[in-house]
Amino acid sequence: MEYDNNWLLSLMVFLPLIGAAVVMLIPKAQEELVKAVALGTTLVTAALGVFMLFDFDYGKSGDLQYVVDKEWINVINSRYILGVDGMSLPLIALTLLIVPLCLVYTFGHFPEPRNPKAILALILILETGMIGTFASQDLILFFVFFEVVLLPMFFMIAVWGGDDRRYASLKFFLYTMFGSALMLVSFLALYFLADGSIVGDQANTFSIVSLSEGASLGISRSAQLWIFAGMFVGFGVKVPMFPFHTWLPDAHTQAPTVGSVILAAVLLKLGTYGFIRIAIPMLPEAASAWAPFIGLLAVIGIIYGALGCLAQRDMKRLIAFSSVAHMGFVMLGISTLTDFGINAAIFGMVAHGLITGMLFFIAGSMKDRYHTLDMGRLGGLLVSAPRLGWILGFSAMASLGLPGLAGFWGEFPAILASYNPASILPESTFRGYMVVAALGTVLAAGYLLWMLQKTAMGNPKEEFADNEEITDVKKHEWIAWAPILALILLFGLYPRPIFTTTDDAVVKSLTVDIQGEEIENCLEVEGADLGKECFANVRETAESMKE
Amino acid sequence: MIDAFSSAFGLLASSGAFERPPIDWHAVAPELCLLGGGALLTLIDVIWLEKGRSITSALAGIVMLIPLIPILTLAIDSEDRSMFKGAFVVDKYSLIIKALFLLSGYLVVLLSTNYIAEGEYWENEYYGMLISSVLGMVLMASARDLITIFVALELLSIPAYLLAAWRKKDHKSNEAGLKYYLMGVFASAIMLYGMSLIFGVSGSTILEEINESIASGGANTPVITLGITFVIIGFGFKVSAFPFHTWAPDTYEGAPTPVTAFLAVASKAAGFVALMNLVVIGFIGQEDVFQPLIWILAALSMTAGNVMALRQTNIVRLMAYSGIAQAGFMLAPLAVAGEGPAIADKAVSAVVTYLVIYAAMNIGAFGIILAVSRKTKSADLESYNGLFRTSPSLAIVMTVFLASLAGIPPLGGWYAKFSVFTSLTSASTNWGYGLAVVAAINAVIAFGYYGKIAMRMWVEDPHETHVGEVKVPVSLLTALVLTAGTTIAFGVAPGIVTHFTDVSLIAFGG
């Protein structure tokens, strides 16, 4: 690569970690210094991100940029490879935006038991893990960063969480760890079965680039299906997809506000990102076999999440279930295996990150004021705290996919994409999914408006009528929220920047070709049988190249 | 030690006057340094009496470190050396293992310093025993024949029996020592019986010759099977694999905590080293005998150890059961070691990698246990409640060790588990994949109890009698810094470990 400024990504990944170490070394008494160092670190990291946003070559957004490729674990040919392309750039930017805002928000109201030093250090470690995952271009490195986020989040829920935090944190941990254990076994199977020599790498390789460019295409169909299954569980737990979602409502409800925000805004995206970065490009054939099933689970998630919302009394739990539904749209977009669907999915990830993150912020602020989120007791927010009420209304509208706000561009194209999935997929099935997903948007409008009615409309209940604690939006809340609100509106009105950034990378990730040997995209060959034949040819070609 | 060799040769030499075989002094230098150091330590005690006490532990630490110098020169020389017709071999594998034993021994000395000095214990004898036990381990790393293995094993075990009962006024410690002794002797007897069967069939005690003899096909298969089974079961006791683990929890609980750390790490590692030497050099080609046996031992140890650990309320007992589960992980690669030379090499590297990383994180965890029990005088899990509030740095370091033991990146333990997975999947057999899945599920279960301790430290309120910071003496602090540093470094850059543990047992035997 011609980009020689490759220190940038490493710095971006590890700066927060250094910040965390510094924060831990500062004596407890100097709270202001702790805050300053933590915020300063994230701001500098974010500034690097802004520089990258301007410096990034959008004309070549399909290629990896700022690549670092260094030796790491030689015996297994696992390398320290970082790189950014159009697919990861928006997600890295999202992370870099959300973390400082979370810090600012926390400064205004530290959750109990306070201990600012510890919680700030944990947030910084989380940031390293998240950026690292999005930037990794080696499976083992990806796995390590993917796991780095587990412990800080575990402690954040366990220490600063609600009454049921012990159960929720352990459940969160065990679910995700189980998923990643199977994911790791899949990675290893890929390592041993794929042949990197086809693309000019070593025979056994963990390089994401080599594996997506065709190293894994020679693997037999049945093995591909098993490997994909392992990854499916690993990433699916994180998303979370329908049968694996039960950790999410507990974790969200018990987590402190910043924990919920980071969880919703970024951590869930690690799963969907894994699908589009690793599972689908490396195993397109297995993906096409699994896609109808993934689509089915996605629409079940949409409906189930929506019905789950309608059954909640707790506002935070409702938002958590709405996450299940929204991530269902993202997964539906991914399961179409078209560039259109996956572009929509990435947009959906960013939009969901902003909107649901915002909703969790508001829920946290309401909890601070009312000390309850029981929707039976809330009401009249527009009277007691009008600005907060309007922000809640705005975010709820964005969440239900109102055109003109960011949520729309995540959901609508995903539904549209399932009208016309990849040619190899059964069209009628996906059109069925489309209808169900469209119904899901109606339900979404239902539960969000119902929530708004319960909490914001009407007059305040007697117990909160003249409560002095219920103040309007405070200064730190404005600082933390204004950028998010602005971006929700901006991307709603002008979604182009994200779509143009991601498109090249997405198209590239879906194209089956082996270096030197141009092979058409089997997913788009007309007729499912012809597509399967095309994959069989690809396998044969890969076999012959091995010899 | 010399006696051991002469007796070995007494058996081999059918007739004729005894001639001293040539000795490569450079190759035996580490053992000699240790022997000399131990003797010096005893001498100082005899001459200076009480005056020498103050420097005993420092001296013991130095004695543990000095043999690293010849090990370093041997490593730089990088020539494989073999003596006594192949009974004693110095190669890259044995050197890294020796270094591991010596460094573990050094860390145990650091853990012991205050514990032994502050209690009413015999100090000098304690370190003497420790050094002779380490000497047995260092010898084990090079042992390539049945008799040398057996002598090394006894040399490392007998002092360990005594060390386990070092708190002699405490019933539990007496129980620990006695139980350990009886089970240990029982295991030795079984093993010796197995060895005699193997010797009877193959006509040799040298592992390579045994292998050639039983591989040629003329051997009596049922006797070989019985012999191999007995030997593996004997070492099953040593490494506390289920169902031969019953001594471990009681012994760990009763023994002085530094000794427990020693047993849990160094003594167990010695068992694995012997097992690897036997399986990979001696029994290769008999994989239909040892593979199923080890497969079952590994799967049972992981699962049973984990499940029983979930129910413990005493941290030392918990660590004992977790150690059983970890032993299952370390056994696992050997269950596929017979699938071919390349896979055997991978298996050996995986076990050695695991041993190195395990030593750092486990000794570290015992260091914290020691530090906390200095203040609370108890090993109940409850004494960890609220540790994060009373002594945050200890709680963070303990979290590092626990997370590493649970195998969470980026701490050392993940790479240990990962190398086990790699070696299992590299075999590409259904048995290998099956054990990998069992291991993956167990890795998740293990977090159940490691996480429980972490939760107590971070979430619960401290017990009212336990408020106030835990004070950590200097030597213990050194041990903690060293182990925590290496645990993190191994996880972030596993290349540091694999650079040394990329070893082969077969390459030398050819």
Side-chain angles (χ1 to χ4, degrees), chain A residues 68 81 99 335 375 403 459 472 484:
Chain A
V68 199
I81 313 176
V99 175
S335 73
M375 290 190 292
N459 284 319
D472 216 336
I484 304 184

mmCIF file of all heavy atoms in Angstrom, chain A residues 68 81 99 335 375 403 459 472 484:
data_model
loop_
_atom_site.group_PDB
_atom_site.id
_atom_site.type_symbol
_atom_site.label_atom_id
_atom_site.label_comp_id
_atom_site.label_asym_id
_atom_site.label_seq_id
_atom_site.Cartn_x
_atom_site.Cartn_y
_atom_site.Cartn_z
ATOM 1 N N VAL A 68 -1.187 -1.721 8.517
ATOM 2 C CA VAL A 68 0.000 -2.120 9.274
ATOM 3 C C VAL A 68 0.066 -3.633 9.142
ATOM 4 O O VAL A 68 -0.940 -4.302 9.300
ATOM 5 C CB VAL A 68 -0.129 -1.815 10.771
ATOM 6 C CG1 VAL A 68 1.225 -1.807 11.429
ATOM 7 C CG2 VAL A 68 -0.882 -0.544 11.012
ATOM 8 N N ILE A 81 -2.133 -7.311 11.742
ATOM 9 C CA ILE A 81 -2.552 -6.566 10.552
ATOM 10 C C ILE A 81 -3.736 -5.682 10.913
ATOM 11 O O ILE A 81 -4.758 -6.171 11.392
ATOM 12 C CB ILE A 81 -2.979 -7.504 9.408
ATOM 13 C CG1 ILE A 81 -1.960 -8.621 9.209
ATOM 14 C CG2 ILE A 81 -3.159 -6.716 8.114
ATOM 15 C CD1 ILE A 81 -2.369 -9.629 8.159
ATOM 16 N N VAL A 99 -17.881 7.341 22.507
ATOM 17 C CA VAL A 99 -17.152 7.204 23.768
ATOM 18 C C VAL A 99 -16.942 8.542 24.496
ATOM 19 O O VAL A 99 -17.264 8.652 25.677
ATOM 20 C CB VAL A 99 -15.830 6.443 23.562
ATOM 21 C CG1 VAL A 99 -15.018 6.415 24.836
ATOM 22 C CG2 VAL A 99 -16.113 5.020 23.116
ATOM 23 N N SER A 335 -28.804 -10.708 5.223
ATOM 24 C CA SER A 335 -29.132 -12.040 4.707
ATOM 25 C C SER A 335 -29.535 -12.019 3.239
ATOM 26 O O SER A 335 -29.585 -13.066 2.603
ATOM 27 C CB SER A 335 -30.244 -12.668 5.537
ATOM 28 O OG SER A 335 -31.472 -12.043 5.243
ATOM 29 N N MET A 375 -43.347 2.397 33.559
ATOM 30 C CA MET A 375 -44.167 3.282 32.729
ATOM 31 C C MET A 375 -45.565 3.489 33.303
ATOM 32 O O MET A 375 -46.255 4.425 32.925
ATOM 33 C CB MET A 375 -44.237 2.736 31.299
ATOM 34 C CG MET A 375 -42.898 2.881 30.594
ATOM 35 S SD MET A 375 -42.995 2.528 28.853
ATOM 36 C CE MET A 375 -43.325 0.795 28.863
ATOM 37 N N PRO A 403 -39.301 8.964 7.910
ATOM 38 C CA PRO A 403 -38.464 9.497 6.832
ATOM 39 C C PRO A 403 -37.949 10.886 7.204
ATOM 40 O O PRO A 403 -38.681 11.671 7.803
ATOM 41 C CB PRO A 403 -39.417 9.568 5.637
ATOM 42 C CG PRO A 403 -40.504 8.612 5.957
ATOM 43 C CD PRO A 403 -40.635 8.594 7.442
ATOM 44 N N ASN A 459 -50.672 14.498 32.111
ATOM 45 C CA ASN A 459 -50.148 15.281 33.213
ATOM 46 C C ASN A 459 -49.315 14.388 34.111
ATOM 47 O O ASN A 459 -49.548 13.193 34.190
ATOM 48 C CB ASN A 459 -51.292 15.888 34.009
ATOM 49 C CG ASN A 459 -51.892 17.071 33.275
ATOM 50 O OD1 ASN A 459 -51.167 17.879 32.697
ATOM 51 N ND2 ASN A 459 -53.210 17.132 33.256
ATOM 52 N N ASP A 472 -35.250 20.050 33.802
ATOM 53 C CA ASP A 472 -35.109 19.870 32.361
ATOM 54 C C ASP A 472 -33.671 19.493 32.009
ATOM 55 O O ASP A 472 -32.834 19.308 32.903
ATOM 56 C CB ASP A 472 -35.544 21.160 31.649
ATOM 57 C CG ASP A 472 -36.255 20.812 30.347
ATOM 58 O OD1 ASP A 472 -35.986 19.702 29.832
ATOM 59 O OD2 ASP A 472 -37.079 21.603 29.872
ATOM 60 N N ILE A 484 -25.276 13.890 18.804
ATOM 61 C CA ILE A 484 -26.030 12.730 18.342
ATOM 62 C C ILE A 484 -27.306 13.179 17.638
ATOM 63 O O ILE A 484 -27.632 12.724 16.537
ATOM 64 C CB ILE A 484 -26.386 11.799 19.531
ATOM 65 C CG1 ILE A 484 -25.122 11.384 20.263
ATOM 66 C CG2 ILE A 484 -27.145 10.591 19.047
ATOM 67 C CD1 ILE A 484 -25.359 10.417 21.376
#
